[in-house]
């Protein structure tokens, strides 16, 4: 931990050289931030991640935000047991945890040394991670770096009592900030090791490094934030500096113009691991992979899908869930019998192949029209799908076995959309903390459904109703919800609203945070680097029978 009573002048310390001989303090902090960010993404972080290369004045906040996201990602149930794709290749989550712990121990000491202070890390943690870094199974006192093995330097006088404390310059290079990740050995921890490893140790370690970074840089860097250390050549640009410049240029996201003609997506989801959006097509019944540069390719093409409406990337199980609907306007539609298709399909996230596709109308046999508007998934893999045209919520287990979870008149639709739909009800759903479903009604209300006691469903008391019709929702990392309401009925820009829960979602505060000029904006999703994007899929043209040359994703504010 960092002694709280020892202030440091960030303006003077930013360009001080660290024991990593080619780096100064600011470059070291940038390296730590990039490493935290990468590891958080690898672990599927659910909290907002700051953009890399923040302005000096925002560096402290960015570091602490990414650290919190990283700890939360490792704290997820099963995080240490599952295999993740790290920069060094596929490793258990427990190994990824140890890599980050070593990273913060090494660089935390380097930063403290650079600014003339002491980093007081937990001694047991230090000793354990040195054993891991040395690769004890190979019987060598060395830290593996890249394709070579370099001897660990003798511990400096003010290093922890543990012997063989690794120096930053033994393991990393500023021209390649991930050398330490690639070079660390990849032993597979035993079941006992995974069980006993305490995630709180990472909190202690990150806290120490974060406080060192905060006091070493601080907001005062805005007055003197040069990252060019002494001894640099005039006119030259280091690899670390180029990286920061590139990230700074990407800091403000722009509108993504997708080149998918006549795809007409209603909703989409983002997969951070592949940096890809997945969007359903109401016209073709396919699911497209959309790159941030706007390139679109068909990823799922299942003849059983008539129109693909809701799309959900289930990263924990490497699958995509898709709701199957029929507005009567798709290539595969029964033009004379719209809204007679209602189902959910599961598809492999890597190949796009079908795992299963379930017909939910077989559970009702009521002869009514149905429209599965949205689907969400609980941590145990159970999916919940909502029917926009009947007050029915379906439950689907991981194997595709479906059942009726809830029928409740509280979920009955009352909204009329002229020339399209009558009695429009549930439009979106999210699973939230407390094992609850939050269901958005098209009329702007929200309903809370306790999963263990669905009969206790009740309306959420909102400070103000959401815009109507509510079209899509996204669960934010802090537990709030971002919702978009379509301007389909008013012709006005689509509002983006933030819904902040109170009293376990019995109440909530609603505020408008942004708008999208296209009225018929139908969904919101996560994007790269902690952004949020709103989808405008050209649906007005679809229902008017007109062609469309593509669709757009607009970055929006959610706070």
């Amino acid at each position: 931990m960092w002694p709280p009573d020892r202030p440091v002048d960030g303006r003077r310390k930013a360009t001080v050289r660290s024991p990593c001989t080619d780096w100064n303090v600011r470059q070291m902090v940038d390296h730590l931030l990039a490493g935290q960010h990468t590891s958080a993404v690898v672990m599927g972080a659910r909290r907002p991640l700051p953009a890399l290369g923040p302005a000096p004045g925002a560096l402290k906040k960015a570091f602490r935000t990414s650290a919190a996201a990283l700890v939360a990602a490792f704290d997820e149930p099963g995080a240490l047991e599952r295999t993740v794709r790290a920069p060094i290749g596929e490793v258990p989550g427990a190994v990824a945890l140890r890599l980050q712990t070593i990273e913060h121990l090494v660089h935390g000491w380097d930063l403290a040394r650079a600014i003339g202070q002491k980093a007081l890390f937990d001694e047991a943690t230090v000793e354990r991670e040195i054993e891991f870094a040395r690769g004890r199974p190979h019987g060598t006192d060395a830290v593996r770096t890249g394709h070579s093995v370099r001897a660990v330097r003798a511990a400096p006088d003010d290093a922890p009592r543990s012997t063989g404390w690794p120096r930053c310059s033994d393991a990393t290079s500023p021209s390649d900030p991930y050398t330490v990740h690639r070079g660390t050995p990849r032993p597979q921890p035993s079941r006992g090791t995974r069980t006993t490893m305490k995630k709180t140790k990472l909190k202690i370690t990150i806290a120490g490094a974060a406080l060192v970074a905060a006091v070493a840089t601080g907001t005062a860097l805005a007055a003197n934030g040069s990252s060019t250390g002494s001894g640099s050549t005039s006119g030259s640009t280091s690899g670390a500096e180029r990286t920061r410049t590139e990230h700074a240029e990407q800091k403000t996201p722009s509108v993504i113009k997708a080149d998918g003609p006549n795809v007409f997506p209603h909703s989409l989801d983002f997969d951070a691991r592949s940096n890809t959006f997945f969007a359903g097509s109401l016209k073709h019944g396919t699911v497209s992979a959309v790159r941030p540069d706007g390139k679109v390719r068909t990823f799922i093409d299942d003849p059983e899908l008539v129109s693909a409406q809701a799309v959900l990337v289930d990263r924990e199980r490497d699958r995509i869930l898709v709701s199957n609907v029929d507005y009567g306007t798709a290539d595969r539609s029964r033009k004379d019998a719209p809204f007679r298709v209602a189902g959910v399909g599961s598809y492999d996230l890597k190949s796009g192949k079908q795992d299963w596709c379930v017909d939910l109308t077989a559970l009702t046999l009521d002869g009514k029209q149905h429209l599965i508007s949205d689907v969400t998934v609980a941590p145990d893999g159970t999916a919940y799908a909502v029917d926009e045209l009947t007050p029915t919520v379906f439950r689907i287990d991981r194997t595709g076995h479906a059942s009726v979870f809830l029928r409740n008149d509280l979920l009955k639709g009352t909204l009329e959309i002229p020339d399209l739909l009558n009695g429009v009800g549930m439009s979106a759903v999210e699973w939230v903390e407390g094992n609850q479903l939050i269901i958005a009604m098209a009329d702007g209300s929200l309903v809370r459904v306790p999963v263990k006691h669905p009969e206790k469903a009740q309306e959420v008391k909102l400070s103000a109703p959401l815009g109507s019709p509510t079209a899509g929702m996204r669960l934010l990392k802090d537990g709030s919800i971002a919702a978009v309401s379509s301007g389909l009925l008013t012709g006005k820009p689509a509002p983006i609203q933030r819904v902040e829960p109170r009293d376990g979602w019995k109440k909530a505060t609603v505020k408008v945070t942004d708008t999208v000029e296209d009225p018929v904006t139908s969904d919101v999703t996560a994007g790269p680097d902690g952004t949020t994007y709103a989808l405008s899929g050209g649906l007005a043209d679809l229902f008017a029978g007109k062609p469309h040359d593509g669709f757009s994703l607009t970055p929006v504010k959610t706070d």
Side-chain angles (χ1 to χ4, degrees), residues 117-135:
Q117 303 290 341
K118 289 186 177 182
L120 307 179
F121 293 120
D122 176 77
E123 289 290 327
T125 301
V126 172
E127 292 185 9
R128 186 187 66 236
E129 301 313 321
I130 284 178
E131 291 294 300
F132 178 83
R134 283 173 169 173

Side-chain angles (χ1 to χ4, degrees), residues 181-518:
H181 296 295
R182 290 201 304 269
T184 306
R186 291 185 288 171
Q188 303 295 308
S190 66
R191 181 180 182 87
T193 300
R194 291 196 300 266
T195 302
T196 59
M197 188 182 300
K198 300 299 184 180
K199 287 168 279 188
T200 53
K201 295 297 185 182
L202 178 66
K203 297 179 183 180
I204 294 171
T205 306
I206 288 182
L211 285 169
V212 170
V215 297
T217 56
T219 56
L221 279 172
N224 184 8
S226 172
S227 60
T228 304
S230 58
S232 63
T233 303
S234 177
S236 66
T237 305
S238 70
E241 186 175 355
R242 284 195 302 272
T243 300
R244 283 198 306 278
T245 301
E246 290 167 1
H247 286 312
E249 291 173 352
Q250 298 170 4
K251 194 166 55 174
T252 303
S254 57
V255 174
I256 298 172
K257 296 290 187 181
D259 62 2
N262 296 324
V263 172
F264 295 113
H266 183 284
S267 62
L268 78 169
D269 200 5
F270 179 70
D271 177 36
R273 295 176 187 173
S274 62
N275 200 35
T276 303
F277 296 92
F278 291 94
S281 172
L282 291 186
K283 178 66 174 175
H284 303 316
T286 56
V287 175
S288 297
V290 185
R291 302 294 297 176
D293 62 3
K295 299 298 183 182
V296 176
R297 65 180 176 88
T298 300
F299 182 70
I300 297 172
D301 190 358
D302 180 0
E304 290 190 57
L305 293 179
V306 178
S307 282
Q309 176 148 324
V311 176
L312 175 68
V313 177
D314 182 4
R315 299 162 188 84
E316 292 295 321
R317 282 153 283 275
D318 288 327
R319 63 177 178 169
I320 300 177
L321 297 177
V322 184
S323 74
N324 192 14
V325 305
D326 186 3
Y327 287 86
T329 57
D331 298 337
R332 299 167 178 160
S333 286
R334 287 185 56 187
K335 310 298 191 224
D336 60 339
F339 306 112
R340 301 296 176 181
V341 172
V344 173
S346 173
Y347 301 86
D348 186 88
L349 183 55
K350 296 179 180 178
S351 67
K353 294 181 179 179
Q354 184 196 112
D355 301 318
W356 44 259
C357 191
V358 60
D359 177 13
L360 298 177
T361 62
L363 296 173
T364 61
L365 298 176
D366 54 10
K368 296 181 179 180
Q369 294 184 329
H370 295 273
L371 177 62
I372 303 303
S373 57
D374 200 13
V375 61
T376 190
V377 65
D380 64 359
T382 302
Y384 296 89
V386 294
D387 188 347
E388 195 164 315
L389 301 182
T390 74
T392 310
V393 180
F394 298 92
R395 173 169 31 201
I396 311 165
D397 70 17
R398 294 174 59 173
T399 66
H401 179 267
S403 59
V404 173
F405 172 67
L406 175 66
R407 284 193 182 99
N408 192 315
D409 285 346
L410 189 62
L411 305 174
K412 185 176 292 185
T414 59
L415 185 71
E416 305 291 321
I417 300 179
D419 303 319
L420 183 62
L421 286 170
N422 298 323
V424 180
M426 295 178 284
S427 58
V429 60
E430 288 285 356
W431 185 95
V432 300
E433 187 175 358
N435 201 19
Q436 304 178 98
L437 302 180
I438 298 300
I439 299 173
M441 304 297 293
D443 64 7
S445 62
L446 292 180
V447 175
R448 179 180 67 92
V449 181
V451 169
K452 290 187 177 180
H453 298 283
E455 72 282 359
K456 295 183 179 180
Q458 64 181 66
E459 186 172 339
V460 179
K461 295 181 180 180
L462 302 176
S463 62
L466 295 166
S468 177
T470 308
M473 297 194 300
R474 177 204 167 191
L475 183 64
L476 301 174
K477 306 303 182 180
D478 67 353
S480 299
I481 282 177
V484 60
S485 296
S486 174
L488 177 67
L489 300 179
T490 64
K492 296 180 180 180
I496 305 298
Q497 299 129 116
R498 181 183 180 90
V499 187
E500 297 181 346
R502 292 183 288 127
D503 195 16
W505 276 104
K506 293 179 181 178
K507 303 175 183 177
T509 301
V510 177
K511 65 176 180 179
V512 175
T513 58
D514 209 343
T515 58
V516 180
E517 283 301 312
D518 186 346

